[in-house]
Amino acid sequence: MNEHPDQTASPVPATAPIDPRTGEMAGRGHDPAGRSGAAPARTGYVIEDGPGGAGPAPYVTVVLPCYNEGAHVLKEIDRISRVLDESELTYEILCIDDASTDDTLEVLRAAQAHYPAIRVLPFRRNGGSGTARRIGTQQSRGEIVVWTDADMTYENERIPELVRILRDDPTYDQVVGARTTEEGTHKWARVPAKWLIRKIAEWLTKTRIPDLNSGLRAFRREVSLPYLRLLPAGFSCVTTITIAFLSNQHDIKYVETSYAKRAGVSKFHFVGDAYRYILQVLRMVMYFDPLKVLMPPALWMIALGVVKAVVDMVRHPFYFPASTVLLVVAGMMIASLALLSDLVVRSRDGV
């Protein structure tokens, strides 16, 4: 039996240890573009480039979700392209057709012959604006990502201004176009509802938020990556990215902008979307600081139960109704859940 292995055999190459906790599911950012130097991972998304190809990676990526915007999307693309061409910024416009039922996709493909910065990502199934923005941000190549809409509502002429703020001031990670007017449908109901939701978000994040759900914003792509998995499919994705940044001490600058009446038909449904907005605000704060949501009602229930127990003791010595016991026990259960949730948040690896 040979006790001495062949010394001439080539050694097994050393490999870096694999950390199974990394990746999107652990709360860390996942970059599908493979920017760490490794080969890009296959993403399953086929992006259509113009005749000149994708070209070099730009500084800015404008993510433009499009759903049945065929009648006016070309005007929006022209407006965005014109102001960015006049600036010193290199850019691409990633137009995401969210399975439109009109001619939006055909218009986008035809526009590539005249606007070389356009890249088209067609969806076979409608995923919602949040899904489009999430995937668009993941597939973007720019250092700065801009979100806006294709419905002619936002001041997209201000995009270079928002980008320059991030470029020139590294203390900010996001710049939001804060609307000074409300031109959406159901204005009579939207204004008070949005004010209430915004005040809840301000109380939960301890930050003044002039516009919680503006669709015009620019942010640093690398900072946003860990939070993309938290984005819902619908309109509340803009609320989510705002609260996620604020909850992790990423500074946001607000720039006042105007807001025009939208072109085409609104996809916003007041009752359903307002309900989802409130749930998303609470969900996001629960994700980062559950004590702020759960502990106040728990303490109030315990305090009310104790006060009621004292009153019951005075009125009927040594007799406590079921409602008194239920208040105290329910408060203690919610408080225990709050502490357990906070323990989970603090022990979570990554974001």
Side-chain angles (χ1 to χ4, degrees):
M1 179 177 180
N2 185 7
E3 299 180 357
H4 301 284
D6 185 2
Q7 300 297 325
T8 63
S10 58
V12 177
T15 58
I18 298 175
D19 185 355
R21 297 173 301 170
T22 60
E24 204 170 350
M25 296 307 294
R28 298 182 178 180
H30 171 62
D31 189 348
R35 311 222 174 171
S36 61
R42 293 188 61 183
T43 62
Y45 303 110
V46 178
I47 299 179
E48 303 174 4
D49 296 310
Y59 182 68
V60 180
T61 296
V62 179
V63 177
L64 191 67
C66 304
Y67 178 65
N68 291 346
E69 312 283 3
H72 46 266
V73 67
L74 197 57
K75 296 180 181 178
E76 195 68 271
I77 290 174
D78 181 75
R79 182 162 63 142
I80 297 172
S81 299
R82 181 165 23 89
V83 296
L84 286 173
D85 285 337
E86 294 171 355
S87 72
E88 74 283 6
L89 305 169
T90 58
Y91 71 97
E92 66 180 2
I93 304 178
L94 183 54
C95 300
I96 303 174
D97 177 66
D98 198 11
S100 298
T101 56
D102 65 356
D103 63 343
T104 298
L105 182 56
E106 289 74 17
V107 171
L108 293 175
R109 286 169 171 166
Q112 289 183 303
H114 306 284
Y115 300 94
I118 291 181
R119 310 182 74 207
V120 178
L121 174 55
F123 285 175
R124 292 179 178 174
R125 299 184 305 277
N126 181 269
S129 62
T131 301
R133 288 187 170 102
R134 173 178 59 82
I135 294 175
T137 303
Q138 290 173 335
Q139 301 304 311
S140 65
R141 300 183 301 151
E143 179 180 336
I144 303 298
V145 175
V146 175
W147 284 1
T148 189
D149 289 336
D151 55 13
M152 306 298 292
T153 53
Y154 290 101
E155 272 191 291
N156 287 330
E157 296 87 353
R158 307 280 297 276
I159 288 177
E161 176 187 348
L162 304 185
V163 173
R164 291 187 187 106
I165 292 174
L166 292 176
R167 183 194 63 186
D168 300 337
D169 191 344
T171 63
Y172 289 108
D173 291 316
Q174 186 172 171
V175 181
V176 176
R179 297 165 293 181
T180 56
T181 59
E182 174 60 63
E183 298 294 338
T185 57
H186 307 288
K187 184 176 180 179
W188 60 272
R190 288 174 66 135
V191 171
K194 290 171 67 174
W195 178 86
L196 177 61
I197 297 171
R198 180 166 55 85
K199 288 303 178 182
I200 294 174
E202 288 181 342
W203 172 68
L204 293 173
T205 60
K206 297 181 180 179
T207 308
R208 181 179 176 272
I209 307 175
D211 192 346
L212 180 62
N213 59 337
S214 171
L216 176 59
R217 59 189 61 221
F219 52 86
R220 304 187 192 278
R221 179 183 183 275
E222 292 299 322
V223 175
S224 72
L225 287 177
Y227 311 118
L228 295 181
R229 64 187 178 87
L230 304 176
L231 298 185
F235 291 99
S236 51
C237 62
V238 292
T239 301
T240 302
I241 201 72
T242 299
I243 296 177
F245 270 53
L246 293 176
S247 297
N248 266 338
Q249 299 299 314
H250 297 295
D251 289 332
I252 298 178
K253 183 178 180 63
Y254 296 91
V255 178
E256 289 190 353
T257 60
S258 62
Y259 188 64
K261 187 176 180 180
R262 69 155 289 139
V265 179
S266 175
K267 288 88 176 177
F268 183 86
H269 302 285
F270 174 73
V271 176
D273 287 322
Y275 174 72
R276 282 187 287 270
Y277 270 132
I278 296 175
L279 285 185
Q280 190 63 19
V281 169
L282 295 176
R283 181 184 296 123
M284 288 303 299
V285 180
M286 277 287 293
Y287 183 86
F288 291 108
D289 192 359
L291 287 179
K292 190 179 289 291
V293 177
L294 295 177
M295 193 56 76
L299 295 179
W300 271 106
M301 293 179 71
I302 294 174
L304 288 175
V306 171
V307 172
K308 192 173 185 301
V310 172
V311 174
D312 293 335
M313 188 69 176
V314 173
R315 296 178 60 187
H316 307 284
F318 301 104
Y319 171 73
F320 298 103
S323 59
T324 303
V325 177
L326 182 62
L327 272 174
V328 176
V329 172
M332 294 179 64
M333 291 179 63
I334 296 176
S336 301
L337 178 61
L339 294 173
L340 180 60
S341 301
D342 184 67
L343 178 63
V344 172
V345 168
R346 294 182 182 277
S347 62
R348 184 174 58 218
D349 183 36
V351 175

